[in-house]
Each structure stands twice: as structure tokens, then as C-alpha cells.
Amino acid sequence: MSKQAEFAVILKMNAMFADLGTDELQRLSNLCHTQHLGNGEVLFQKGDPGDALFGVRRGQVRIETGAADGSRLTLNFMGPGDLFGEVAVLDGQNRTADATAGEASELFVLRREDFLSFLEREPKVAIKIIALLCQRIRWQSERMEESMLQPLPVRLARRLCALAADFGSEVHISQEQLGVFVGAARESVNRQLQAWRKEAILDLQRGRILLRNMTKLTAIARNE
């Protein structure tokens, strides 16, 4: 499979592009090029122009921001098949966080100017993108409501299940970072994780969480 074909698959897996046809995806993926990053190399920093969309071909990229005490908080992990920068490639506004390679990585890159030129030539695709963005706004609204109404165990279980889907049963994340994800203090996250450890749902090690009983964790995530 060519690199362009691989990028087309990644685009297809993303909600923003999922409804595009095969020919449309192929024409779009033909505009991409690849970029290599070494371990720890910075892709972009907060405040940089949002000039490209990225897809991870191999490796891992951490989306990070600075905490008030000067430490770094990881907001998300991007692994093979993940796409990020969709909003920036449309509005061109400054990046709101940093992106750093967690290991040697290869990325697909679609420049904003190429993407906008493509949309000018393909107005039907532009209309589809608008509809998909509206769906994304609705999804984010639902997630915000969820974060306000769902109890911490449900929010925490859903986040761990999502991370497990991307990275397997060994999740490399700190309890402070988990707290950022679910909108809770590290102490509250720790108490819940310790309770689940006693129930053999997971095991805690320094900087990582080993998920032992995904069936039980998934049931909690579903609020069953």
C-alpha cells in the first residue's frame, strides 16, 4: 500500500472525513507529504500558526501544555492511525498546545493552503466538511454535559477504555494527567484507582496503569 493510500485510510477513520467518497479521499491524500521526527523533537508549540493537518503513520506524538507550577501536562496521546489538527487546518488560528514526539515518528502532513485550494475546487466536499464540523460541535456539547453530570468513576473508566483502545492494556499516563482528562483533582483520581486496584480491575505502577479486567471497566464506563 502506498503512503497516499495509507493516509486515505487514516482520513476515512476520522469523523470529519468519514463520509467522503473513495475518489475524494484519494485526491485529498495525494496532497500530503511525510515528515520524520526524532524522539523528543517538537512538532509545533502553543502559539504557532495552525498551518497543517497531521496523521500519525508510525510512532507517538504527545499533545502537551504547561501547568501553573512549571511542569508539563499531557492532554492526549496520538498513535498510528490518529489524525490531529483538523480545526487548525480550517481556521488557521494559533495552536493551543504543544506537540512533541514521544518516540521516533513518521507523520503524514497536509498543508492548510493545499487543503483550502482543494475545497475551492471541490465545493461538494466543503459542504460535507461543514456538516461534519456541526456534528463535532454537537458531540463536544454532549461530552461537556457528560463531564458535568456523570460521576467520576464513569468518566475515569471511559477515559481509560479510550486509551486502552489506542495503546493496549498498559497505559502510560500519570494520575495528574488523568485528572486533567476527566476534570478532577489528582487525589480524587488516586482514590478511585486504588479502589479499582483492590478489586483487581487494574494495577498501578510508576507512570503507568495496567488494565487487568477490561470487561468490568467497560461496564463501569457504560454506567451499568
Side-chain angles (χ1 to χ4, degrees), residues 93-167:
Q93 297 297 307
N94 293 344
R95 302 289 184 184
T96 58
D98 304 337
T100 305
E103 58 187 68
S105 302
E106 183 179 5
L107 308 178
F108 294 111
V109 183
L110 178 60
R111 294 295 177 190
R112 181 172 187 264
E113 57 188 28
D114 294 331
F115 184 54
L116 294 183
S117 296
F118 172 82
L119 292 182
E120 289 177 357
R121 298 191 303 271
E122 303 273 358
K124 291 183 179 179
V125 176
I127 292 172
K128 288 183 180 181
I129 296 295
I130 292 171
L132 291 166
L133 285 173
C134 290
Q135 291 178 11
R136 181 167 180 164
I137 292 171
R138 292 177 184 274
W139 181 87
Q140 289 179 331
S141 178
E142 291 172 358
R143 298 292 77 74
M144 183 177 296
E145 181 179 348
E146 173 187 285
S147 69
M148 296 176 64
L149 300 179
Q150 293 294 344
L152 176 59
V154 174
R155 304 198 313 268
L156 190 56
R158 288 179 180 178
R159 174 51 58 179
L160 289 173
C161 287
L163 290 170
D166 285 338
F167 302 105

Side-chain angles (χ1 to χ4, degrees), residues 205-223:
Q205 297 187 11
R206 186 175 181 85
R208 58 180 179 160
I209 300 172
L210 306 179
L211 305 177
R212 303 297 192 191
N213 190 336
M214 287 302 302
T215 300
K216 179 63 175 177
L217 193 65
T218 300
I220 296 171
R222 293 174 178 168
N223 205 10

Side-chain angles (χ1 to χ4, degrees), residues 11-24:
L11 290 171
K12 185 67 175 178
M13 292 190 300
N14 184 274
M16 182 169 155
F17 301 98
D19 289 342
L20 299 185
T22 302
D23 291 341
E24 295 164 337

Side-chain angles (χ1 to χ4, degrees), residues 179-192:
V180 172
F181 276 130
V182 300
R186 188 196 65 80
E187 293 78 10
S188 299
V189 170
N190 178 261
R191 283 195 295 270
Q192 185 59 60

